[in-house]
Amino acid sequence: TAMGRLAAAPRGECASRGCGLLKGRAVWIGALLVAVMVSPASAKAKKHSPQHTSKVHWKKEGECARGVCAGFHSDENEDCVSKCVSDACYAEVYAAEPLEPGEVDRVRQTKFNACVRKEQDEEAKRAAEERKAARAAR
């Protein structure tokens, strides 16, 4: 290739052909590639992070988004989805001041997620107690 011939050219020939320019470009392109690979990626944050919501919670959110709240744009369905996931937690956290379409309120979202987790934990505990009682009755 032309690049191979330039790279293999003797020094005297290289000066007349611009080999130094090619080497300079290669260094610059290499530095650019390194900078791109090192720079942090900016992407839309995940809507659900594992430390804040359980699998049951985000699966329920998905069911609500595809079902009851399907008529809303995905960026504007948070109020509907929250109400669908837990009516009791919605009433506790959002009822006094519902979310506007597209609004994100991280403080209330954290309170809502904690409420839903508490509900799920209580439900799991109740189910475990029922299973234990059923085993004891045998």
Side-chain angles (χ1 to χ4, degrees), residues 65-80:
R66 288 186 303 276
V68 176
C69 304
F72 294 94
H73 187 276
S74 62
D75 291 338
E76 299 180 347
N77 70 353
E78 197 65 37
D79 196 56
C80 178

Side-chain angles (χ1 to χ4, degrees), residues 59-94:
K59 283 179 93 172
K60 178 69 175 169
E61 285 182 338
E63 290 171 10
C64 291
R66 288 186 303 276
V68 176
C69 304
F72 294 94
H73 187 276
S74 62
D75 291 338
E76 299 180 347
N77 70 353
E78 197 65 37
D79 196 56
C80 178
V81 169
S82 296
K83 190 170 186 175
C84 174
V85 167
S86 172
D87 211 24
C89 291
Y90 178 87
E92 181 180 318
V93 177
Y94 295 113

